[in-house]
Amino acid sequence: MKILICETEPWEREPMESLKSEHDLTFIDSRLNKDNAADYAYAEIVSCFIYSDLGKRVVEKLPNLKLIATRSTGTEHIDSDYCQSRGIAVSNVPTYGSNTVAEHVFALLFAISRNLPAAFSRTACGEFSHRGLRGFELFGKTLGVIGTGDIGACVVPMAKGFGMEVMAFDPKPRDELVERYGLSYVSMDELLERSDIVSLHVPLNEKTRHMIAKDEIAKMKDGAVLINTARGALIKIEDMAEALLGGKLRAAGLDVLPEEPVIREEVELLRSVYDRQHSLETLLTGQVLMRMRNVVLTPHTAFYTEEAIDRILDCTIENIRGFTRGQPVNVVTGDR
Ligand code: NAI
């Protein structure tokens, strides 16, 4: 089959080349989008990461497409309904990085609790003073985990290891987490009201978009910390920025922002200012958040460890092999 593998970095190409004996591979560095999709109209399989746009406008330009094998867990960059109507299968990598992402939650949390970014920049200038860098302990604090799927479930024992109290909200509670770790499931409101730190681990879909906005932030404890390693648009960032500026929230630890594909490339950012396809308010807020002292922001690197990327590539190769041999695996159905 003719396979287009986009958004690839050099280190991804070697393992994917194992498909060469059976298939015709094209690697491109760039994202697939409405401007370049017609160049790849021959593609029968597309493997992409999350910055490609596999919305209807793009998939329409790929008449031979049979499978989209995304090298991610999230699939919100793909119009699954349209793909289904065309009989195009979608596969993902469901569990490549549960521990990887869960550990990143604590990387962000420690960066906040021990003021690490400010401490590092101070010593980098040769100044060895603790003034203004007083932190707080995680021990004894209450962590509220929203979503206890693969990643949220890994966060729970890690938090327990640091002596934290942990509560969770998920419409599908998991008995094994209650039995094994004494996790208590509570309502969303109770979680927001009682947590010192809230961490998000739910997929982005129409039900979860802006699940944390003004009203939810108002219910949170004064001085609470918000961590988001899931997807940027789960939070209405304009409301979060206001709460961070006003002191309602002490800090935020973020690995994700809304409109990431635009934020990643300055040219895209500029273009979006003129074509007004994106919310300028959201884009501007993203830029401001990057510069705020009580925000710790990483550029969507929660997934990016040696171990996780090996698993991502192995699983994607298996997804493509399984599909072409008539035994599809990790096929995505409905909202994740
Ligand atoms: P998962 O599908 O295993 O778990 C999601 C959980 O969220 C499920 O238990 C589900 O019942 C729950 N949920 C759904 N709607 C909810 C709601 N409204 N309130 C509370 N819980 C709700 O997904 P997994 O693997 O844990 O990943 C979670 C998200 O993390 C992914 O969808 C993806 O967007 C993001 N992610 C981010 C990465 C990064 O590099 N920053 C890497 C991998 C995933």
Side-chain angles (χ1 to χ4, degrees):
M1 284 205 184
K2 294 188 171 62
I3 307 181
L4 173 70
I5 305 171
C6 33
E7 300 182 74
T8 48
E9 293 188 37
W11 49 264
E12 288 174 289
R13 296 189 179 193
E14 198 189 315
M16 298 284 293
E17 272 177 359
S18 66
L19 291 164
K20 222 175 183 171
S21 55
E22 296 167 71
H23 304 286
D24 181 357
L25 309 185
T26 307
F27 291 99
I28 59 170
D29 301 342
S30 48
R31 306 184 278 128
L32 190 64
N33 57 33
K34 66 175 176 21
D35 299 327
N36 64 4
D39 299 343
Y40 307 104
Y42 59 81
E44 293 167 285
I45 296 178
V46 166
S47 174
C48 59
F49 190 52
I50 56 170
Y51 299 112
S52 283
D53 172 3
L54 273 300
K56 186 172 179 232
R57 284 187 310 173
V58 174
V59 180
E60 271 173 347
K61 294 183 178 168
L62 303 168
N64 299 302
L65 195 60
K66 296 178 177 61
L67 170 71
I68 299 170
T70 185
R71 302 193 299 282
S72 60
T73 304
T75 55
E76 68 283 345
H77 52 300
I78 302 167
D79 186 337
S80 306
D81 292 340
Y82 177 65
C83 287
Q84 204 174 0
S85 73
R86 283 240 334 248
I88 300 166
V90 176
S91 67
N92 74 340
V93 185
T95 56
Y96 67 81
S98 310
N99 276 303
T100 283
V101 178
E103 287 177 14
H104 200 80
V105 168
F106 291 93
L108 293 170
L109 200 42
F110 278 117
I112 290 168
S113 68
R114 309 315 293 260
N115 285 310
L116 294 181
F120 291 148
S121 49
R122 186 168 300 181
T123 50
C125 303
E127 193 188 331
F128 204 86
S129 145
H130 61 239
R131 197 165 302 129
L133 295 179
R134 188 181 301 161
F136 62 90
E137 290 181 353
L138 298 190
F139 186 89
K141 298 289 185 304
T142 299
L143 175 70
V145 178
I146 301 183
T148 51
D150 291 321
I151 296 170
C154 287
V155 168
V156 173
M158 291 182 191
K160 289 273 176 185
F162 291 117
M164 303 180 84
E165 300 292 325
V166 191
M167 59 177 66
F169 168 69
D170 192 312
K172 293 180 190 157
R174 291 170 63 173
D175 291 344
E176 74 269 25
L177 298 179
V178 176
E179 282 155 25
R180 197 154 171 205
Y181 305 114
L183 177 66
S184 51
Y185 279 98
V186 295
S187 67
M188 176 82 165
D189 279 358
E190 187 175 348
L191 181 144
L192 294 172
E193 283 158 17
R194 289 181 47 204
S195 299
D196 300 298
I197 298 141
V198 172
S199 189
L200 302 181
H201 302 287
V202 307
L204 176 64
N205 53 45
E206 283 321 306
K207 286 183 217 133
T208 58
R209 183 176 299 275
H210 293 173
M211 70 188 296
I212 302 292
K214 208 179 189 98
D215 291 349
E216 290 72 28
I217 293 170
K219 288 174 191 159
M220 291 171 73
K221 275 188 176 179
D222 291 343
V225 172
L226 189 52
I227 304 286
N228 187 8
T229 54
R231 285 294 181 267
L234 294 173
I235 301 177
K236 186 149 194 291
I237 59 166
E238 296 84 346
D239 295 349
M240 178 180 69
E242 203 179 317
L244 287 162
L245 282 169
K248 169 71 186 176
L249 291 178
R250 176 179 185 137
L254 311 172
D255 185 52
V256 284
L257 281 177
E259 314 276 17
E260 272 181 43
V262 180
I263 289 175
R264 270 166 76 91
E265 290 175 36
E266 283 187 359
V267 176
E268 290 286 327
L269 189 59
L270 255 187
R271 193 179 294 156
S272 72
V273 171
Y274 295 112
D275 71 16
R276 295 189 169 260
Q277 268 186 32
H278 303 273
S279 158
L280 296 187
E281 197 184 348
T282 304
L283 287 171
L284 180 64
T285 308
Q287 296 296 310
V288 172
L289 286 171
M290 283 191 219
R291 293 161 178 81
M292 284 174 65
R293 290 173 71 92
N294 53 350
V295 175
V296 173
L297 185 62
T298 48
H300 205 133
T301 50
F303 77 99
Y304 199 47
T305 58
E306 291 166 5
E307 295 81 358
I309 58 178
D310 283 350
R311 285 181 224 125
I312 290 171
L313 293 175
D314 289 348
C315 180
T316 304
I317 292 166
E318 286 313 307
N319 289 352
I320 293 173
R321 284 220 170 99
F323 180 81
T324 56
R325 291 175 185 173
Q327 290 162 333
V329 279
N330 299 317
V331 174
V332 178
T333 46
D335 281 341
R336 273 186 52 82

